Structures are given as C-alpha cells and as structure tokens.
Amino acid sequence: MNKKIPRKTRIYFFLESLVPPFFLQGLLDLIITLKFLINYPLNFYRNSPLDSFVKTSNEAYLFATGPSLKDFDFSIIKESDCFSVSNFFLNKEVNNLNLKGHFFMPYHPPLNKEEYISWIKSADKVIKPETIFFFGEESIEDISKSGIKINRKTKFIKLEKGLVFGSLNRNFPILKPYSSPLMILPILIILGYKKIYLCGCDHTVLRDFNSVVKNFYEDEKDLRSNATKDKRWENGIDYHLHNMLNILKQYKKYLRIAKRRNIKIINLSNDSWIDIFPNS
C-alpha cells in the first residue's frame, strides 16, 4: 500500500479487509453511539450549531463545484434556500442566491495550511455577510491559531466515522464526509427540507486522474495548490477508487434516512456519477 496514505486511513483499509463493509459500518455506528451515550451529560447541555437556524422555504439547493454548473439554469431557483461549498464562491451567481450557508471541509494534506486559511479569508470577502460559514470541529484550532477574523456567524459541526443510532439529529454528529457535498446533505436532512436539489455534484474527478480536476471555474482561480492537480494524486489510484466507493456509500446511507423522512433528493447535474437519485 502507498506509504503516503495517512496511517489512520491505512488502519481503516486494513479493518475493511477483515470485516464485510456492512458490518464495519454497523460497528462504527455502535462505537460512535456508545461514545455519545458515555458523554451524554455533556452532549445534553451542548448547543447544536443548528439551534438558531431558520428555514425560509421547504426546498433547498445544494451547490458544489462540478463542471456541469457551467450549464446550470440559475433562474429556476427563485427564493428557495441555498447552500454551497468550497469554491462555489467563485461563481458569479453566488450573491444573487438566498445563500443560507457555505461549508468548508476541514484542512487535510496535501493542501497547504496557510493557503487554506487565505482561501477562507477570500470567501469571507466575497460572500455576503448574512451567509453563515460552517466548518468541522477540526477547524476550530486551525482558525484560532491563524488569528483570522471571520466577519459573519460561524458554526462548527461534529464529524465522526459513524452515526449515533445510525441516524441524524440536531445534537448528533454527521459522518466525516468523503467529499464536500456530503458535509451539507445530512444538515439539510436534519433541517427537514422536503426537497433537496443537488447542483454541480458531478463526482467525476477520476476522469481526470493524474491530470487537472475539472470544475466550473478555471484551475488557476483556485487559491489552494494540490487541490486539483500535482500532489492531489500522490496516494495512488487504489486510494482514490476507495474514496469514490465511500462517497457512494455515504450518499446511499443518507438516501435511506431521507426516504424514512419523506424527503426527496433530486440530482440536477447533467453529468454525474451519482446515479441513485432521480434528475427531475
């Protein structure tokens, strides 16, 4: 196995080789549930990052950064609540939307940490101040140490390898996302939107393996080196295939939860590898 893959990830790969995936996910859910129950007194009095959040519609649009956004018709959105992630702030429509929240995945190699902080600062300058910024709790230390001042409300979400009772709740953690949209989707399910539209959630990056990952924007506009090329691929094809399979697994898990709550998820991308959702 490629030694550049983080040690924790290699341990997880090893466990997967010993335990069937279904049982492994059940085991992780059990471990996280026990962890939650042990810390229940602390969790009970802890405010949820979603406690003060107010919906203004029953439909939500989730914007990622896939190349299909080049052909997206933004006129269909009207006044629906919108949420975005990562470099969507480079889109010229970003401040024409009712953008309720913008999400940032936690810092991770091979990104450069200084560039990651500068990237957050750039998004803060571009996106209108009413939009809430959401981070994983892992980002608290990075943001604090950097001394960065974010000029808006910020919320920090607990991310874990499993779900408490295999479900979603305002006080429960969500799964550590294998891709940016998977940080937003469970939050929209928790908030109770009845229709969730996926936009630019193409997940076609493996087409660009060992090349430059295509997005709706030109690569030189990305402030983060190694985000779309160069060291992005240093862990090898096995790692990235495994990552893609886990992206699919997480989408399937959230789809099962959404169905139990009568929530419809629709994929509006005209070129997506996530084929488990209807496109209309």
Side-chain angles (χ1 to χ4, degrees):
M1 184 177 291
N2 192 327
K3 291 185 179 180
K4 291 181 180 178
I5 297 174
R7 184 169 174 269
K8 285 184 179 179
T9 304
R10 281 186 274 137
I11 292 170
Y12 186 74
F13 283 4
F14 176 69
L15 288 173
E16 277 195 326
S17 70
L18 297 177
V19 184
F22 175 80
F23 291 107
L24 179 59
Q25 190 54 61
L27 177 61
L28 290 170
D29 285 350
L30 177 61
I31 291 169
I32 299 305
T33 299
L34 292 173
K35 180 180 174 183
F36 178 84
L37 292 174
I38 290 168
N39 294 304
Y40 182 75
L42 294 174
N43 292 321
F44 183 80
Y45 291 105
R46 181 182 177 202
N47 291 330
S48 163
L50 303 177
D51 278 349
S52 60
F53 189 89
V54 179
K55 295 191 301 179
T56 54
S57 70
N58 282 318
E59 295 183 346
Y61 285 79
L62 188 169
F63 287 98
T65 63
S68 68
L69 277 189
K70 293 178 183 177
D71 304 317
F72 187 79
D73 180 8
F74 284 88
S75 68
I76 68 172
I77 296 172
K78 298 180 182 177
E79 297 301 316
S80 296
D81 290 354
C82 297
F83 299 80
S84 60
V85 73
S86 186
N87 272 328
F88 183 76
F89 72 90
L90 297 174
N91 195 292
K92 64 182 181 179
E93 296 289 341
V94 65
N95 287 326
N96 295 329
L97 304 172
N98 180 24
L99 196 64
K100 306 288 281 185
H102 185 79
F103 288 66
F104 298 87
M105 290 270 279
Y107 163 79
H108 55 86
L111 298 180
N112 176 288
K113 191 169 286 189
E114 289 183 4
E115 290 175 348
Y116 176 81
I117 296 297
S118 296
W119 178 61
I120 294 170
K121 289 168 67 175
S122 294
D124 190 35
K125 288 178 183 177
V126 171
I127 299 174
K128 56 190 177 185
E130 310 92 80
T131 303
I132 300 169
F133 276 5
F134 289 87
F135 301 89
E137 287 189 351
E138 295 90 331
S139 298
I140 294 174
E141 184 178 354
D142 291 334
I143 291 171
S144 177
K145 283 184 175 179
S146 74
I148 182 177
K149 179 174 173 54
I150 301 174
N151 300 304
R152 65 189 67 239
K153 286 184 180 178
T154 57
K155 304 288 185 179
F156 295 90
I157 301 165
K158 192 167 187 61
L159 310 174
E160 292 280 13
K161 277 286 188 182
L163 295 178
V164 176
F165 302 120
S167 190
L168 295 171
N169 180 286
R170 283 177 183 247
N171 293 311
F172 293 174
I174 63 171
L175 291 174
K176 287 186 176 181
Y178 279 91
S179 185
S180 301
L182 287 159
M183 192 172 173
I184 308 179
L185 182 58
I187 298 301
L188 303 186
I189 294 171
I190 291 168
L191 289 170
Y193 288 99
K194 292 304 177 185
K195 282 188 179 179
I196 300 169
Y197 296 94
L198 308 181
C199 314
C201 299
D202 301 355
H203 297 286
T204 53
V205 296
L206 285 182
R207 281 183 186 158
D208 305 316
F209 183 72
N210 275 342
S211 183
V212 179
V213 174
K214 294 179 181 63
N215 289 285
F216 73 83
Y217 53 87
E218 297 302 316
D219 176 64
E220 59 268 17
K221 291 185 178 180
D222 198 326
L223 300 176
R224 305 161 301 157
S225 55
N226 302 322
T228 59
K229 59 185 177 182
D230 300 331
K231 289 184 180 179
R232 176 190 171 87
W233 305 114
E234 67 180 358
N235 288 336
I237 188 63
D238 283 351
Y239 174 86
H240 290 285
L241 285 171
H242 182 270
N243 195 63
M244 187 67 217
L245 287 172
N246 278 307
I247 287 171
L248 290 168
K249 286 176 188 175
Q250 288 192 343
Y251 271 117
K252 287 177 180 178
K253 186 155 190 165
Y254 289 139
L255 176 58
R256 288 193 295 270
I257 295 171
K259 282 182 173 179
R260 292 199 296 267
R261 301 183 186 190
N262 295 316
I263 295 170
K264 189 171 184 181
I265 303 172
I266 299 160
N267 190 352
L268 295 182
S269 170
N270 61 11
D271 181 26
S272 175
W273 283 3
I274 307 301
D275 61 357
I276 61 173
F277 304 113
N279 55 17
S280 62

